[in-house]
Amino acid sequence: MEPITTFAGRAVALPIENIDTDQIIPARFLKVTDKAGLGDALFSDWRANPEFILNQPHAAGAKILVAGHNFGCGSSREHAPWALLGFGFQAVVSTYFADIFRNNALKNGLLPIVVDAATLDQLISMCAEDPDTLLSVDLEQQLLLLPDGRRVPFPIDAFSKHCLIHGVDQLGYLQAQAAAIAAYEARHPDRVNTLAAGA
Amino acid sequence: MPKTLFEKVWDAHVVQAADDQSPATLYIDLHLVHEVTSPQAFTVLRERGLRVRRPDHTVATMDHSTPTTPRGADGTIPVTDAVARKQLEQLVANCREFGIPLFELGTANQGIVHVIGPEQGLTQPGMTIVCGDSHTSTHGAFGALAFGIGTSEVGHVLATQCLLQNKPKTCEIRVEGQLQPGVTAKDIILAIIAEIGVGGGTGYVLEYTGSAIRSLSMEERMTICNMSIEAGARAGLIAPDETTFEWLKGRPHAPKGAAWDQAVAEWRTLPSDPGATYDHTVVLDANTLAPMITYGTNPGMGMPITGRVPSPAAQADHSQRIALDKALQYMGLEPEQALLDHPIDVVFIGSCTNSRITDLRAAADILRGNQVAPGVRVLVVPGSQQVKAQAEAEGLDQVFTAAGAEWREAGCSMCIAMNGDQLQPGQYAVSTSNRNFEGRQGRGGRTFLASPLTAAATAIAGRIADVRELLGVAV
Ligand code: SF4
C-alpha cells in the first residue's frame, strides 16, 4: 500500500444519515472475483437519478465525501471501500462509522474521518454553498483543514495511523507473529477440526 | 474480578495483548468462507506464495449467489448466470488448492453459512468465529464470540488464523418476562433495534440476558444474535446453558464421549459472573411486546404492527427528519399511515435470520389448510439442504405448495437478491430477512421486515396482517 501523509481535494456532500453498504454498492455487483471497475458501480442505484450529486460535473475528481451520521452500516463487503476508492475518494467524513466499514476502509487506505455534529453541519453547508470546496487532510497531525483556515482534529488509532503513514501491510505484521501464534496453538487444544472424518 | 461472557472468551484467545501502539492479536477457532467475500483474499495468498495456516479450522459453503430454482434431470442445480458461475467455480478451485473442506451447491450439507455452522456442530460455546459476512453475529447464540470481517481480514485469518482487534465495549440487553402468543424472537430483536437505532450498538458487543432470552430455543436465540449487526454491534452473545448443550449434542462436529463431558464442563464456566459489569445496559419488557414490522429503509425503522408510520415533521433532529422523509418516499408511505391491510406483492420466508426448521414449522402451521391470496408470490427458501430435507420429512413442503407457495432449494435467495430471486421495482414484500435497505431485495423493491408468523398471515390475507387475529388472541 502507498504511504499516505497529506492530500487535498474537492469535497462533495451526501448529507444522508445511515448510508448503508447496499447503497454504496448494491449486491448485484458483488459477483466479481477481483476489484477492478467497482468505482463505476459506486452508489449505482442513486446514480440512476441524473440530479444525484455524484452525477454533477464538480463531483468528477472529488477526493473527499462528506456524509451524514453513521456511514457504512450493513454488510461486511469490502467492495464498499473498493468502490469509493475506485471512484477517486480518499476520505469519508462523518460523525461516526460502522465498525466493519471502518476496518475495511483503513485496510485499503480510505480514511474514515470522524468529526462532531456541528462541524459536519458546517461542512455540509460549505459544500452546498460552494461546490468547489477544497479540503485538505494532514494525517500525521490528524487534522482536517477547512478553506476558512480552521484546523479540525480527528481521531485515529495509533496502529492504523502508523500503517497508513508508512504503507505498512497488516498481513505482514501478523505474519511476523508466527512464533507467538504457534505458541498459542501449542498451549490450546483445537476446539474444532473441520476436516474430521464422519462429519 | 468478575468477568462477562465476552471478556472470558476474549481473554482466552489473546495471542498478543494490545499495547499503546497496536491492537490485540486474537486467535480464531473457526473461519467460515463463502463465494462472495473470499476470492480476492485467496488472490492475495497466491500473490504472496502463502498457504492457509489451518484448513482444519476453515470451512466453505456456497450460498449468496446460488440459484434456488429446481434441480435438473441429473439432480444438480443449474447455474445459468455466467458471472455467478465463475465465482462459484473460483471457490471450488480455491478450496481444492488450499485444502479447505467445501459444501458444494446442492450437496447434503450445503446452505447459508450461518445456518450450516451450528447445524454441523462446528459452532460451539467459547469459540471465536469469523466470516466475511456481517451476520456472523448469529453464532453468538451459542456463547461464541462471532463477528463479520472484510475480505482483507479473511486473508489475514486464512494466512495466520489470527486477527488484529481493538477490544469492543460491552452492553447488556436484558429482556425480562414472557412473550404473548403471536410474538416471536424476531419481534424482540426488531423492538430492540427500533429502540437503540441502527447505530446504537456501534463499538459494542451485546449480551442478551434475562428470563425471556433464557426461555428461547436455540433457533430463536440465533434469530436475535443474527440481527445484532443491524444495531451496528460488533457481535451479539447469549450465555450457553442446558438448551445450548441439548441442541449441540450428537451433531456431526460436536465433541463425543468423554470429550463431550469435558467440553460441557468448560462451557458451564462461560456465563458472565455475578457482579460482572457492562459498559451499558438496556432493559426491555417482553410481556408488552407486539408483533413488529418495519416501515422504512433500515431495520431501526420498526414499530408494533398495529402502529402508525411516524411523521418526519415530528422528528426532533433535522437529519432524522430528512432520513425519514426519504425513507417514506422510497416506501411510498404517508406519515401517520397504518400498515395493517397494506397490500403486498411478495412474501419471502427465508434468510439466515428465519430459515431454520422451527421457522418453517411456524409458517407452515399458519398456512396449513389455507391458500395464499391471489396475485401474491410466496417464496419459502430453507436455510440449508439439511433444513430442506427435514422439512420434507415432516411434509412441510406439501403444506407450502398446497397453499400456493414456492418451495425452493437452500440459499440466501431474496434476502440479498444476487441470484435472480428478486423484487420488481415498486413491489412490496413482507420478508423474514434482516435488511430493508433500499434495493436490498431487488432494485426499487420495498421491504417490510417481520416474523415468519406475520409473513405467513400476510401471505394468506394478501395484505399486512396481524397473526394474533388468526390465532384468536385478543389484541
Ligand atoms: S441470508 Fe442474507 S443476511 Fe444471511 S448470509 Fe445470506 S445474504 Fe447475508
Side-chain angles (χ1 to χ4, degrees), chain A residues 1-198:
Chain A
M1 208 162 59
E2 291 297 307
I4 301 170
T5 47
T6 58
F7 58 90
R10 212 172 319 118
V12 287
L14 198 50
I16 299 167
E17 66 174 19
N18 302 322
I19 293 178
D20 61 76
T21 49
D22 277 81
Q23 306 319 311
I24 300 170
I25 181 158
R28 60 181 182 279
F29 298 106
L30 310 185
K31 289 184 241 177
V32 294
T33 49
D34 58 18
K35 307 174 187 178
L38 291 174
D40 295 339
L42 179 69
F43 291 114
S44 182
D45 288 353
W46 291 354
R47 270 159 92 184
N49 173 2
E51 318 257 282
F52 182 62
I53 187 86
L54 293 193
N55 291 331
Q56 308 316 307
H58 69 266
K63 286 190 178 164
I64 297 169
L65 180 69
V66 179
H69 310 300
N70 189 29
F71 187 82
C73 61
S75 136
S76 67
R77 60 189 71 163
E78 203 156 315
H79 309 69
W82 294 337
L84 286 157
L85 286 160
F87 186 87
F89 288 116
Q90 295 184 20
V92 183
V93 182
S94 181
T95 49
Y96 64 107
F97 291 87
D99 285 333
I100 308 180
F101 176 84
R102 194 194 51 237
N103 278 340
N104 285 343
L106 286 167
K107 290 199 171 47
N108 289 277
L110 177 72
L111 259 193
I113 296 181
V114 173
V115 298
D116 62 34
T119 306
L120 187 70
D121 281 347
Q122 287 160 4
L123 285 170
I124 289 168
S125 328
M126 260 180 213
C127 294
E129 278 160 29
D130 177 8
D132 285 317
T133 295
L134 216 61
L135 298 177
S136 38
V137 174
D138 183 337
L139 178 55
E140 182 82 59
Q141 302 292 320
Q142 298 181 217
L143 290 173
L144 180 65
L145 309 169
L146 274 47
D148 59 10
R150 278 180 51 201
R151 300 151 63 86
V152 180
F154 63 85
I156 182 169
D157 70 276
F159 182 74
S160 298
K161 179 177 171 178
H162 171 84
C163 291
L164 290 170
I165 288 182
H166 299 283
V168 170
D169 164 66
Q170 298 193 13
L171 175 52
Y173 175 85
L174 270 173
Q175 283 178 275
Q177 296 182 34
I181 298 169
Y184 179 93
E185 286 173 330
R187 281 199 313 275
H188 295 80
D190 292 349
R191 289 176 184 270
V192 75
N193 179 0
T194 58
L195 294 168

Side-chain angles (χ1 to χ4, degrees), chain B residues 422-445:
Chain B
Q422 62 190 48
L423 297 177
Q424 299 307 310
Q427 280 192 323
Y428 284 104
V430 164
S431 295
T432 67
S433 50
N434 43 54
R435 285 187 178 143
N436 51 353
F437 296 150
E438 286 183 29
R440 169 77 179 189
Q441 295 200 275
R443 199 167 169 174

Side-chain angles (χ1 to χ4, degrees), chain B residues 216-269:
Chain B
L216 297 176
S217 70
M218 285 317 297
E219 287 86 354
E220 293 170 311
R221 293 179 188 186
M222 284 188 252
T223 299
I224 296 208
C225 287
N226 171 276
M227 289 191 72
S228 305
I229 182 67
E230 304 312 333
R234 196 87 184 94
L237 282 168
I238 293 175
D241 59 10
E242 297 310 316
T243 305
T244 320
F245 310 146
E246 186 63 30
W247 198 92
L248 271 177
K249 194 168 188 179
R251 293 196 178 258
H253 281 279
K256 309 272 181 318
W260 169 260
D261 296 335
Q262 204 188 330
V264 170
E266 190 201 321
W267 296 342
R268 285 190 204 284
T269 67

Side-chain angles (χ1 to χ4, degrees), chain B residues 63-64 112-114 133 135 226 351-353 411-412 415-416 433-435 440:
Chain B
D63 53 5
H64 282 67
I112 305 175
V113 64
H114 311 307
D133 192 285
H135 292 96
N226 171 276
S351 91
C352 57
T353 314
C412 296
C415 171
I416 190 164
S433 50
N434 43 54
R435 285 187 178 143
R440 169 77 179 189

